[in-house]
Amino acid sequence: MATESPRRPSRCTGGVLVRPQAVTEQSYMESVVTFLQDVVPQAYSGTPLTEEKEKIVWVRFENADLNDTTRNMEFHEIHGTGNEPPLLVMIGYSDGMQIWSIPISGEAQELFSVRHGPVRAARILPTPYFDSQKCDSFAEKRPLLGVCKSIGSSGTSPPYCCVDLHSLRTGEMVKSIQFKTPIYDLHCNKRILVVVLQEKIAAFDSCTFTKKFFVTSCYPCPGPNMNPIALGSRWLAYAENKLIRCHQSRGGACGDNIQSYAATVISAAKTLKTGLTMVGKVVTQLTGTLPSGVSEEDVAIHSNTRRSPLVPGIITVIDMETVGEGQVLVSEDSDGDGIVAHFPAHEKPVCCMSFNTSGMLLVTTDTLGHDFHVFQILTHPWSSSQSAVHHLYTLHRGETEAKVQDICFSHDCRWVVVSTLRGTSHVFPINPYGGQPCVRTHMSPRVVNRMSRFQKSAGLEEIEQELTSKQGGRCSPVPGLSSSPSGSPLHGKLNSQDSYNNFTNNNPGNPRLSPLPSLMVVVPLAQIKQPMTLGTITKRTGKVKPPPQISPSKSMGGEFCVAAIFGMSRSWFANNPGLKREKDQSKQFVVESLYIISCYGTLVEHVLEPRPLSTAPKISDDTPLEMVTSPRASWTLVRTPQWNELQPPFNTNHPLLLAADAVQHSQFLLVGLIPPGSPGPITRHESYDSLASDHSGQEDEEWLSQVEIVTHTGPHRRLWMGPQFQFKTIHPSGQTTVISSSSSVLQSHGPSDTPQPLLDFDTDDLDLNSLSGGVMSLNNLQGSRRKKHHS
C-alpha cells in the first residue's frame, strides 16, 4: 500500500479526492488482517483498530445526467476519443448518505455528503423528456435528489413514509410525496419516478411529479427486495400476484429443472427441517408461546401464504407511454391497454429482476437463487397474448440458497453479473440473440452476428430452418442432442445442470411464431467474493468446484450489500501514477472491467480475461470459454465520523450542476427551441411559449419525408456464393487468377471507381493449353451425350 494518504481535498466541489491504490499480494494480506480485526475481539488480537468508520447500510451505482451519453454532446465527443463518463456511486449509512464520482482519470471525487438520519433509498433524478405540449416545472431547480429517510420533512409522518425531493442547485426541498405505508425503494428514469411499497407501485410524472398510474396487485417477496421491479427506458416489469390466461403471452418458463444429486440431498434436509418447524408451530399454538428464533412476522407470513390464493413467479411488463392513468389492473375484464407481456417466470416468488440497456432482455430470479432466467421480450401491437417471450438462458449458480440483491448487464449485453447477499458476484456469458457462448462470440471486442460468414455462405441457416419446420420447430441445433419430447408450449426438462452443452429447446409450437432460440444452461465463468476489505477471487469452469470461502462477519448478520457495474479500466493511475493515460490503453481487453463495491466501502476494479477452455483438445470457433479474473485497483470510499459534510447549494462549477445544464441544453436542441450551433446552455428563464410557437406552423405529415421502407430483400446466399465455387480470370500473359467467393473483387463498383490492382487475391499459375484442352474435352463429352441421346 502507498505510504502517503490517498485522500486530498478537491478544489472544484470542496469535497475529497481519493486516488486509486494498486492491488498487490501485500495489500491482499493486509486486507485479511483487517478482516480478522473486525471479526476477532480486540482483546484476543491485541492490536487497536486503526480508524473508526461509519456503518454502511446499502450501496448502489447510479445513472444520472452526469453519465448520460445519449443527450450530452460533450460525452459524445469524449466517447469518440476512447473515454467514457464517470461512474456514480451512492452509499447509504446508518446516518446519512454519500455520492461519489469516479471519472476516467481514476481519482474518485466526493460530490455529496450529509448526516440527517438513516436513509432507506435515494435517487438522483435525471432531466426528463419534454416537448411543446409537456414542460418541465422544475427546470430551474435541477438536478434533484429524491430521498426516503426515517424522518420526513413534515416530521409528523411515520418513518420511511414520504419521499422528499431536494434541489442540489438551491438546497431547498421542492416537493414532498406522502404515503400511509412504508416505502422500500425508489426507481426513476427520464419519464417517471417510481415509488415501491410492499405490495403497491406508484408512478409519478418526471416533469410535474403528479401521479400517473399505480399498481396494487404486486406479489411481495421476503427480501432483500420486498417488492422487486425492473425499470427500463420505457418498460416497467413487476411481480404479479396471479396469472390471467386471457393476457398470458406465448412462452415464458414453467416447471423446475431435474435436480442434481446435491440438490436432492439439500432438498431432503430442508423437508426434514420444515417438518420439525411445523411441529414447533403446533406446540406454539397449543402453549401460546413462540419458540426461540421464530418471530411473529414469520408465523404471520406462513399463515397468510397458506390461505392466500395468489400465484408466485408471474411477471407483468407494462409500457409507461401507452398505459392509462389511474390503476393498472390485469384481470379478465380489463382490456389490457399498456400491457406488453404477462408470463410465468418461476415457481417461487420473484426476488430480483433487471432489464438490459436496450430493454429487450429481462433477467429474473426467485427466492431460492439457484437459477436465473434470461428472457427476450418480443411485443405484439394488438395485445399481450400475442407477444412472444423467448426463454434464452438458465444461468445456474449452485444448489445452496442465496438471496440475490443486484443484477448488472455489460454494455454490449454479452455478460451478466449477479450479486448475492453472501458477498459473491457471479459472471455469466450470454448472447443477446441466444445460442452457446464460445470463442467466436466472446473473444472479440465487438458483438458478432448469430451466423458466421461460413454458415451463411454454406446455407446452414436455410438447412436449420427447413429441419425446424419439418420437425415442428423442436430440432436441436447441436448434433447428438435429441429434440424435446414434450409438447408443452414451455421449455422442456434438463438432463443436467452442470455443463454447457446440456440444454433444451423453447418453442411455443405455434405456426404463427418463428422458432424460438434454444434454451441453454450456463454456469458462471467466475465468482468474485468480497467478504473483507478486498475480495478473494475464484475461477470456476464446467464442473470444477470453487475453493472454500471465508465466512461472513457475524456482526453484519451474515449478509453483505454488494453492487457491481461494468466500465472502462481506471487502474492505469494506480499502476503508473507518473505516466499519462494512453488513448488506446483501454482497448487491450476484450471485456470491460468489473467494478464491485461492498458494505466495507471499498470499490475494487477487477479485470476479466476470457480464454478458450484449457482442457479443449483443439481450439476452434465453437470452443467453450473459461475466465481469469484479477483485481487491479481499489478505492476506499467509506467515511469516518470526523469527515466533513458536503451539502447544497453547490457552486455553478459543480459536476452535477454542469451535467444538468448540458443535458437541458441538449434537450432544448432536440425539440427545436435552440438553433443548432448555439454557443452554450440556455438561460433558466426561457419561456416554453417559444417552443410551442416554433412547432405551431409545422404540418402533421412532415415526418413522412423521413420514412424509409424496405419492401424486398434478396436471399441470404446466392448460388455462386457457396465455398464450392471459384472464379478464374484469364490474363494474356498466360496466368489465371483464382478468386474465392469471399473476395472483394465481387463487390460492385460505381462508374467513377478506378479498378484496383488484384493484390489480395490468391493466385495460381495455370496452363492455358491445359485449360483449353479441358474445354475441348468438355465439348467432346457434350457431343457424345447428344449422339447417345439421338441413338
Side-chain angles (χ1 to χ4, degrees):
M1 300 290 289
T3 56
E4 58 177 346
S5 175
R7 300 174 182 173
R8 62 185 179 90
S10 172
R11 298 180 180 178
C12 178
T13 62
V16 178
L17 291 178
V18 177
R19 294 192 300 268
Q21 301 297 308
V23 178
T24 59
E25 294 295 332
Q26 182 180 1
S27 64
Y28 175 77
M29 296 304 299
E30 290 177 356
S31 66
V32 175
V33 175
T34 304
F35 173 72
L36 294 178
Q37 290 177 352
D38 294 339
V39 177
V40 182
Q42 184 176 346
Y44 292 96
S45 61
T47 57
L49 295 177
T50 58
E51 188 178 18
E52 185 181 0
K53 300 177 182 179
E54 297 186 19
K55 181 180 178 181
I56 295 178
V57 181
W58 53 267
V59 291
R60 172 181 293 161
F61 288 97
E62 185 72 354
N63 293 321
D65 294 339
L66 188 60
N67 47 16
D68 187 357
T69 59
T70 60
R71 299 186 297 173
N72 196 326
M73 299 303 175
E74 297 179 1
F75 289 163
H76 281 289
E77 297 175 359
I78 294 176
H79 211 66
T81 59
N83 298 332
E84 70 169 12
L87 302 177
L88 269 180
V89 181
M90 302 183 69
I91 303 177
Y93 296 92
S94 57
D95 184 13
M97 58 170 295
Q98 198 177 25
I99 301 177
W100 289 88
S101 170
I102 300 92
I104 197 64
S105 61
E107 284 190 325
Q109 183 179 11
E110 185 187 22
L111 302 181
F112 180 85
S113 179
V114 293
R115 294 183 179 91
H116 48 40
V119 176
R120 174 168 290 181
R123 292 284 184 176
I124 302 177
L125 307 183
T127 300
Y129 290 127
F130 55 83
D131 51 21
S132 58
Q133 289 81 24
K134 188 177 182 180
C135 303
D136 184 9
S137 303
F138 300 89
E140 299 180 1
K141 307 295 183 180
R142 297 187 184 274
L144 301 179
L145 176 67
V147 180
C148 175
K149 52 187 179 180
S150 58
I151 302 176
S153 57
S154 61
T156 58
S157 60
Y160 306 109
C161 289
C162 69
V163 179
D164 296 333
L165 304 181
H166 298 271
S167 172
L168 300 181
R169 185 178 300 272
T170 62
E172 60 180 331
M173 188 192 67
V174 297
K175 183 74 174 181
S176 180
I177 306 174
Q178 305 288 334
F179 292 90
K180 297 180 180 179
T181 57
I183 300 171
Y184 288 95
D185 203 355
L186 298 176
H187 295 263
C188 61
N189 59 10
K190 302 176 183 66
R191 290 182 170 87
I192 60 173
L193 168 66
V194 181
V195 180
V196 180
L197 308 176
Q198 183 174 1
E199 297 182 5
K200 301 178 182 179
I201 298 174
F204 298 85
D205 186 82
S206 295
C207 291
T208 60
F209 296 109
T210 58
K211 184 177 290 187
K212 191 172 182 179
F213 63 87
F214 60 95
V215 181
T216 59
S217 57
C218 301
Y219 193 98
C221 177
N225 301 318
M226 295 296 296
N227 188 4
I229 71 168
L231 182 62
S233 58
R234 180 162 175 170
W235 292 351
L236 171 65
Y238 65 94
E240 189 75 43
N241 57 15
K242 55 186 176 299
L243 180 63
I244 307 300
R245 297 294 180 180
C246 61
H247 297 290
Q248 182 179 357
S249 303
R250 304 179 184 274
C254 182
D256 292 333
N257 301 328
I258 296 178
Q259 294 183 346
S260 61
Y261 176 76
T264 304
V265 174
I266 295 176
S267 178
K270 291 179 180 179
T271 303
L272 179 60
K273 179 181 177 181
T274 304
L276 296 177
T277 304
M278 293 178 63
V279 173
K281 290 180 180 179
V282 173
V283 175
T284 299
Q285 295 177 357
L286 295 177
T287 59
T289 59
L290 291 176
S292 60
V294 179
S295 61
E296 296 180 359
E297 296 181 357
D298 296 336
V299 176
I301 291 176
H302 288 289
S303 61
N304 293 336
T305 305
R306 192 183 308 112
R307 294 176 297 179
S308 175
L310 305 181
V311 180
I314 309 301
I315 299 295
T316 300
V317 182
I318 60 177
D319 189 348
M320 295 176 289
E321 290 296 320
T322 60
V323 69
E325 296 184 358
Q327 183 178 2
V328 178
L329 185 61
V330 183
S331 62
E332 297 179 355
D333 300 331
S334 62
D335 52 3
D337 290 340
I339 301 177
V340 175
H342 179 72
F343 60 95
H346 299 272
E347 289 190 348
K348 300 294 183 179
V350 178
C351 178
C352 186
M353 66 183 81
S354 176
F355 280 111
N356 68 334
T357 53
S358 65
M360 299 296 293
L361 298 182
L362 179 66
V363 176
T364 64
T365 178
D366 57 8
T367 53
L368 298 180
H370 297 167
D371 299 319
F372 320 127
H373 295 169
V374 181
F375 299 100
Q376 182 185 28
I377 302 176
L378 302 178
T379 62
H380 196 277
W382 289 352
S383 64
S384 61
S385 61
Q386 301 296 326
S387 300
V389 180
H390 296 184
H391 190 183
L392 298 183
Y393 295 95
T394 293
L395 311 179
H396 183 64
R397 183 195 62 85
E399 307 299 347
T400 58
E401 292 187 9
K403 298 179 180 180
V404 177
Q405 59 176 327
D406 183 71
I407 300 176
C408 174
F409 281 89
S410 62
H411 293 88
D412 57 7
C413 302
R414 291 190 296 174
W415 302 91
V416 176
V417 175
V418 182
S419 302
T420 65
L421 286 180
R422 295 174 178 265
T424 308
S425 297
H426 306 265
V427 184
F428 297 90
I430 66 170
N431 290 315
Y433 42 74
Q436 180 182 6
C438 57
V439 171
R440 187 183 73 87
T441 59
H442 285 73
M443 290 297 294
S444 172
R446 297 183 179 180
V447 179
V448 299
N449 295 329
R450 185 173 182 268
M451 304 290 292
S452 64
R453 292 186 62 184
F454 171 77
Q455 291 173 327
K456 266 193 172 183
S457 62
L460 298 182
E461 188 176 10
E462 287 84 349
I463 296 175
E464 180 182 351
Q465 291 180 358
E466 183 179 357
L467 292 176
T468 302
S469 60
K470 289 182 178 180
Q471 301 186 11
R474 307 197 63 82
C475 179
S476 174
V478 179
L481 292 181
S482 60
S483 60
S484 176
S486 173
S488 171
L490 305 173
H491 72 272
K493 298 292 183 178
L494 298 179
N495 297 325
S496 175
Q497 295 181 346
D498 300 324
S499 175
Y500 267 120
N501 299 326
N502 296 327
F503 60 91
T504 59
N505 298 284
N506 177 22
N507 185 8
N510 193 301
R512 292 178 293 178
L513 297 178
S514 59
L516 301 184
S518 301
L519 170 64
M520 304 193 64
V521 176
V522 180
V523 296
L525 292 185
Q527 297 185 72
I528 304 176
K529 178 99 175 175
Q530 296 211 171
M532 54 192 74
T533 305
L534 187 62
T536 61
I537 301 172
T538 60
K539 180 178 67 177
R540 177 180 181 184
T541 57
K543 298 183 179 180
V544 180
K545 296 182 178 180
Q549 298 170 341
I550 301 177
S551 301
S553 172
K554 299 298 182 181
S555 60
M556 299 297 295
E559 295 183 350
F560 290 80
C561 55
V562 176
I565 195 174
F566 286 91
M568 296 179 64
S569 177
R570 290 163 170 81
S571 60
W572 65 276
F573 185 85
N575 299 327
N576 301 314
L579 300 178
K580 294 184 178 180
R581 181 178 181 270
E582 300 178 0
K583 292 184 178 180
D584 297 336
Q585 185 176 4
S586 60
K587 298 182 181 179
Q588 59 184 348
F589 299 107
V590 176
V591 188
E592 294 178 313
S593 297
L594 179 62
Y595 295 86
I596 301 178
I597 183 171
S598 64
C599 58
Y600 289 96
T602 301
L603 174 67
V604 183
E605 175 187 347
H606 298 271
V607 177
L608 310 180
E609 299 180 15
R611 299 177 181 178
L613 189 62
S614 58
T615 58
K618 182 180 179 181
I619 298 177
S620 61
D621 289 346
D622 299 331
T623 303
L625 300 169
E626 65 180 13
M627 177 172 287
V628 177
T629 63
S630 59
R632 290 296 178 89
S634 64
W635 294 261
T636 303
L637 305 180
V638 60
R639 69 184 182 187
T640 61
Q642 295 77 23
W643 206 302
N644 296 327
E645 297 185 19
L646 185 60
Q647 299 186 18
F650 296 134
N651 297 328
T652 55
N653 61 345
H654 193 277
L656 293 176
L657 272 63
L658 293 177
D661 292 340
V663 171
Q664 284 190 359
H665 178 258
S666 175
Q667 187 69 19
F668 277 99
L669 281 176
L670 292 177
V671 298
L673 179 60
I674 303 178
S678 179
I682 62 170
T683 60
R684 300 205 158 266
H685 298 284
E686 287 283 354
S687 175
Y688 284 86
D689 297 337
S690 58
L691 177 62
S693 61
D694 291 342
H695 290 269
S696 60
Q698 297 181 358
E699 298 181 358
D700 296 337
E701 292 79 13
E702 183 180 358
W703 60 272
L704 290 176
S705 60
Q706 308 297 329
V707 173
E708 180 180 355
I709 301 177
V710 179
T711 59
H712 176 267
T713 57
H716 294 288
R717 172 181 174 269
R718 305 286 182 180
L719 181 62
W720 48 267
M721 292 175 62
Q724 65 272 22
F725 287 88
Q726 289 184 342
F727 296 87
K728 302 179 181 180
T729 303
I730 302 176
H731 295 282
S733 60
Q735 294 183 350
T736 301
T737 301
V738 180
I739 306 172
S740 63
S741 60
S742 61
S743 178
S744 60
V745 76
L746 301 179
Q747 299 178 358
S748 61
H749 297 277
S752 61
D753 296 342
T754 57
Q756 300 293 333
L758 304 176
L759 299 180
D760 59 338
F761 301 155
D762 299 329
T763 59
D764 296 332
D765 293 339
L766 298 179
D767 189 4
L768 292 180
N769 296 327
S770 62
L771 182 61
S772 60
V775 175
M776 293 176 59
S777 61
L778 179 60
N779 295 333
N780 296 334
L781 178 60
Q782 292 178 352
S784 61
R785 289 182 177 178
R786 294 193 194 99
K787 293 179 181 178
K788 186 175 181 181
H789 175 69
H790 290 298
S791 62

